[in-house]
Amino acid sequence: MSDTAFTPRVFSGIQPSGGLTLGNYLGAIKRFVDWQEAGTHETIYCMVDLHAITAKFIDPATLRRNTRELCAGFIASGIDPEKSVLFNQSQVPEHTQLAWIFNCVARMGWMNRMTQWKDKSGKNAEAASLGLLAYPALMAADILIYHATHVPVGEDQKQHIELTRDIATKFNHDYGREFFPIAEPVIEGAATRVMNLQDGTKKMSKSDPSEKTRINMTDDADAIAKKIRKAKTDPDPLPETIEGLEGRPEARNLVNIWSGLTDQTPAQVVEANAGKLFGYFKQDLADIAVDKLGPIASEMARLMEDQSEIDRILGRGAERAREIAAPILDETYDIVGMVRS
Ligand code: AQP
C-alpha cells in the first residue's frame, strides 16, 4: 500500500441513539448525498451503533429499531446503497480492532480535553462509562480504517476530527511511516449547527428530553408545522440585512434552517423576507419544511415495512466495508509488530 497517495474517500457516521433530527439531516445526511452525487470520492456512510451505547443505556429493541430506521433515513434522503457503502459499525469488527491500537496511541490528556466528553459526562465523570471517554478514539478508527481523506460533519464534531488528525500524526511519527492520512473535516453551509427550537444557544439534539426542541425526520406535517410555529423567536420582524440578526440566536436559527432547506444563502433569505413578522415567516418556513421533509418521512415509513430488506442492505454494505477495512487493519497490525501467521 502506498505511503503517500490515498484514494479520495469520504467517511461519516451517525449514531442510532434516537430518531434522526433535522440537525442530522441538514448538518450531515443532505451533505453526504451531495458528496455521493458529486462522484469525486468514494463515499462510505455508517450507522455507528457502538457509539450509541456510550452515553446511556438503550433498550436493545430500541437500538435495533433506531439502527434500521436510521438506515431507512439515509436511503429515503438519497443515499444509494449501490453508489455508497452503507452499513452499521458493529458488523465490521475492524473498527474496534483498530480502536484498541488508537487507545494506546491517544493520550489521556487529549481525551480529557474533549468538550463532548465534558458535556456528556457532566458533573459526575466518575459515573460515566469508559466508552464515553474512549469515544473519539473509536471515531478516529471509524475514519482511518478506510484511510478516509474527507469527513463531512456538523460543527460539533470538529474537535473530534482534530483528535483523529492528532492520532494519525502520532501513529505515523511513532512508527516512522506515513500510513494514515491526515483527514480533512468538511464543515460547510449555513446549517452546520442547527439549534434547539426553544433555546437558540443550544444544539438541536436527538437525545434532548423535550420533543418541542427538535424536528424529527419521522414527524408528520402537523407536528412539523406546530413545532415551527411554536419555535421561540423575539418580537422584532426580520431585519433588512443579515447583520441585523446578531444577538438574535433563535431568529438566526430559523433563517439558517430556511437556508439549509432551500439552498439559498442566509443573506438571500433575509433579503427576501426583510420586514416580515416572525408569525408569517414561521408559517412560510413550515410550508417549506413540510414540502421537503414530508416525502422523506413517507419513504422512511415505507422502507421500515420491510425490515429484512434493510438488514440485507446493511449486511451487503458490511461486506463491502470489510473489503476495504481488512487489509488496512492487517497492515496496521504488521506495522505495530503483531505476529500474523
Ligand atoms: N444540530 C445539529 N446541527 C448540525 N449538524 C448536526 N449533527 C448532529 N446534530 C446537529 C451532525 O450529525 C452527524 C451525526 O451526529 P451524531 O448522531 O453522531 O451525534 P451528535 O452530534 O451527538 O448528534 P445528536 O443528535 O446531538 O445526538 P445525541 O443526542 O445522541 O448526542 C454529525 O456530523 C453531527 O455533527
Side-chain angles (χ1 to χ4, degrees), residues 28-140:
I29 298 190
K30 190 165 177 283
R31 297 166 51 226
F32 300 170
V33 175
D34 293 342
W35 277 103
Q36 172 189 275
E37 294 309 310
T40 52
H41 291 61
E42 288 180 21
T43 46
I44 306 180
Y45 300 124
C46 182
M47 278 121 269
V48 287
D49 48 4
L50 295 167
H51 283 281
I53 58 171
T54 53
K56 60 174 199 258
F57 177 82
I58 304 187
D59 149 72
T62 305
L63 179 58
R64 267 190 281 274
R65 183 180 165 82
N66 287 351
T67 304
R68 291 181 176 128
E69 195 175 84
L70 180 51
C71 181
F74 271 108
I75 297 170
S77 305
I79 297 297
D80 176 343
E82 294 302 320
K83 291 186 188 167
S84 294
V85 179
L86 186 65
F87 67 102
N88 63 312
Q89 186 186 28
S90 61
Q91 290 203 69
V92 180
E94 287 79 5
H95 288 237
T96 42
Q97 290 173 286
L98 183 62
W100 181 260
I101 305 283
F102 287 171
N103 283 346
C104 301
V105 172
R107 306 289 93 182
M108 284 296 286
W110 301 358
M111 312 312 270
N112 277 318
R113 277 196 289 278
M114 294 294 110
T115 50
Q116 183 169 295
W117 156 250
K118 290 190 219 166
D119 291 348
K120 289 197 173 173
S121 62
K123 291 198 177 71
N124 193 4
E126 291 286 308
S129 75
L130 181 56
L132 188 63
L133 181 68
Y135 179 117
L138 176 57
M139 181 164 160

Side-chain angles (χ1 to χ4, degrees), residues 19-288:
L20 269 178
T21 69
L22 180 64
N24 298 134
Y25 174 68
L26 294 178
I29 298 190
K30 190 165 177 283
R31 297 166 51 226
F32 300 170
V33 175
D34 293 342
W35 277 103
Q36 172 189 275
E37 294 309 310
T40 52
H41 291 61
E42 288 180 21
T43 46
I44 306 180
Y45 300 124
C46 182
M47 278 121 269
V48 287
D49 48 4
L50 295 167
H51 283 281
I53 58 171
T54 53
K56 60 174 199 258
F57 177 82
I58 304 187
D59 149 72
T62 305
L63 179 58
R64 267 190 281 274
R65 183 180 165 82
N66 287 351
T67 304
R68 291 181 176 128
E69 195 175 84
L70 180 51
C71 181
F74 271 108
I75 297 170
S77 305
I79 297 297
D80 176 343
E82 294 302 320
K83 291 186 188 167
S84 294
V85 179
L86 186 65
F87 67 102
N88 63 312
Q89 186 186 28
S90 61
Q91 290 203 69
V92 180
E94 287 79 5
H95 288 237
T96 42
Q97 290 173 286
L98 183 62
W100 181 260
I101 305 283
F102 287 171
N103 283 346
C104 301
V105 172
R107 306 289 93 182
M108 284 296 286
W110 301 358
M111 312 312 270
N112 277 318
R113 277 196 289 278
M114 294 294 110
T115 50
Q116 183 169 295
W117 156 250
K118 290 190 219 166
D119 291 348
K120 289 197 173 173
S121 62
K123 291 198 177 71
N124 193 4
E126 291 286 308
S129 75
L130 181 56
L132 188 63
L133 181 68
Y135 179 117
L138 176 57
M139 181 164 160
D142 298 336
I143 295 164
L144 296 175
I145 195 65
Y146 301 103
H147 276 183
T149 53
H150 293 82
V151 191
V153 281
E155 189 68 48
D156 60 320
Q157 292 296 333
K158 189 171 178 211
Q159 196 188 28
H160 287 163
I161 310 297
E162 279 159 10
L163 187 109
T164 299
R165 294 163 64 89
D166 290 344
I167 289 177
T169 304
K170 182 164 162 46
F171 182 98
N172 291 347
H173 177 265
D174 288 351
Y175 292 100
R177 291 271 309 267
E178 293 307 307
F179 183 64
F180 287 113
I182 310 302
E184 288 289 337
V186 189
I187 302 170
E188 298 168 329
T192 53
R193 191 165 171 81
V194 177
M195 307 309 273
N196 178 310
L197 295 178
Q198 297 299 321
D199 178 351
T201 64
K202 283 195 199 155
K203 188 184 80 141
M204 181 182 286
S205 187
K206 61 172 100 70
S207 55
D208 192 292
S210 166
E211 277 284 322
K212 287 189 298 189
T213 62
R214 62 171 168 269
I215 293 173
N216 302 308
M217 294 304 288
T218 48
D219 281 344
D220 63 19
D222 279 356
I224 295 173
K226 199 164 160 197
K227 286 177 183 178
I228 292 179
R229 274 202 310 274
K230 298 213 159 177
K232 191 177 159 200
T233 37
D234 55 51
D236 294 336
L238 267 292
E240 298 295 320
T241 63
I242 192 83
E243 288 76 28
L245 289 175
E246 229 157 86
R248 301 173 66 187
E250 285 84 12
R252 174 76 211 214
N253 187 37
L254 295 185
V255 167
N256 283 353
I257 292 175
W258 182 308
S259 162
L261 287 168
T262 59
D263 294 328
Q264 291 171 309
T265 65
Q268 287 169 330
V269 176
V270 169
E271 203 178 300
N273 291 282
K276 200 184 264 183
L277 290 170
F278 264 96
Y280 295 109
F281 181 82
K282 287 197 278 189
Q283 188 53 57
D284 293 344
L285 176 58
D287 291 343
I288 291 170

